[in-house]
Amino acid sequence: MITPPRGSRQPTRQRLLDEGVRLFATNGFRETTVGEIEQAAGLEPRRGALYRHFPSKEALLEVALDAHLDALAIAGEQLPASSSDDPREAAVALARWMFEELDREQLILRILEQDGDRLPLLRDRFRDTLMKPGYRLTTKIAREWVGAAANTDWEATAAVFLSALVNYRRSTWTFDYPPGGLTEDRYVSAWADLCVTYAQSQRRPNSRSPRPAR
């Protein structure tokens, strides 16, 4: 007897998507069978239920990724506007937004980390649709904080600061313990202070100084 999963009132197609992504992230894409997805969705396994909605488990993952990227695009429109008048406040808002987005991406990131080489088209779409624009946005914000500065490698600077946020979240997922045992609030506060300190150090003498960090 198949026990319907929690949330089984959802349409069958959505249950297949949700359980497929969960199993891919937990067990690996190749190792997860169509029958396991059907059973997890509360359906009789190996009776063709999945194929009535998706041509293959690859197609299921592609649809899930499409929905995921659409949701992230909407969330991206809610990114707090940067403020050159108060760069620390802008840095804190950016860090909070980034952590929220990483949490939304967790299962998809785990799938691509495990099976990206087997799913190169999906991996490349995720990279081009989300990761590259994220670094470009951070580069733009860094330039706004600093203003007219000389000899600044904006792309490298943005990558360093953004990677610090990514590492905090992914280390917490992997080890179930944040780096240094730091709470998110402490980490974000220190990260924002570093952003402001760097911005101040890069400003030309005639540039308008930002407000105090605190």
Side-chain angles (χ1 to χ4, degrees):
M1 178 179 177
I2 300 299
T3 302
R6 287 178 298 176
S8 59
R9 291 182 179 180
Q10 288 184 314
T12 300
R13 187 174 188 271
Q14 188 60 49
R15 296 205 312 271
L16 288 166
L17 283 168
D18 292 344
E19 294 301 327
V21 168
R22 183 183 65 80
L23 288 171
F24 294 154
T26 302
N27 302 329
F29 179 79
R30 179 175 293 178
E31 290 74 13
T32 299
T33 67
V34 168
E36 288 171 338
I37 297 171
E38 292 168 333
Q39 186 168 14
L43 306 168
E44 289 290 339
R46 296 177 295 281
R47 294 292 182 90
L50 184 143
Y51 294 113
R52 286 194 285 273
H53 297 274
F54 308 98
S56 63
K57 67 178 185 179
E58 290 86 352
L60 182 152
L61 180 56
E62 185 171 358
V63 170
L65 181 60
D66 280 338
H68 179 79
L69 292 176
D70 287 345
L72 288 174
I74 294 172
E77 296 174 357
Q78 301 170 357
L79 175 66
S82 62
S83 170
S84 58
D85 290 334
D86 193 343
R88 189 177 192 281
E89 181 179 333
V92 169
L94 176 62
R96 298 291 187 200
W97 179 86
M98 187 66 189
F99 281 151
E100 290 176 3
E101 295 314 300
L102 287 169
D103 288 341
R104 291 189 182 97
E105 298 165 21
Q106 183 177 6
L107 292 181
I108 296 293
L109 284 170
R110 187 178 298 170
I111 293 169
L112 295 178
E113 286 173 350
Q114 295 176 149
D115 295 294
D117 58 331
R118 301 169 185 168
L119 304 163
L121 295 179
L122 293 178
R123 178 199 60 201
D124 293 350
R125 280 185 54 213
F126 187 89
R127 179 196 65 212
D128 295 341
T129 304
L130 182 68
M131 293 182 63
K132 286 184 177 180
Y135 281 103
R136 286 196 296 268
L137 176 61
T138 307
T139 300
K140 176 177 178 292
I141 291 174
R143 291 178 66 93
E144 291 176 357
W145 287 344
V146 176
N151 301 320
T152 299
D153 187 339
W154 297 110
E155 290 77 13
T157 299
V160 168
F161 280 108
L162 195 58
S163 294
L165 297 177
V166 173
N167 178 69
Y168 178 87
R169 192 51 109 225
R170 290 175 65 181
S171 292
T172 303
W173 295 339
T174 300
F175 301 108
D176 194 28
Y177 188 77
L182 297 175
T183 65
E184 185 174 308
D185 285 343
R186 286 182 64 193
Y187 193 88
V188 168
S189 180
W191 185 83
D193 286 343
L194 286 174
C195 288
V196 172
T197 299
Y198 179 80
Q200 291 172 334
S201 72
Q202 293 297 302
R203 284 177 177 266
R204 288 176 176 171
N206 61 349
S207 298
R208 183 163 56 92
S209 298
R211 291 179 182 174
R214 293 187 183 279

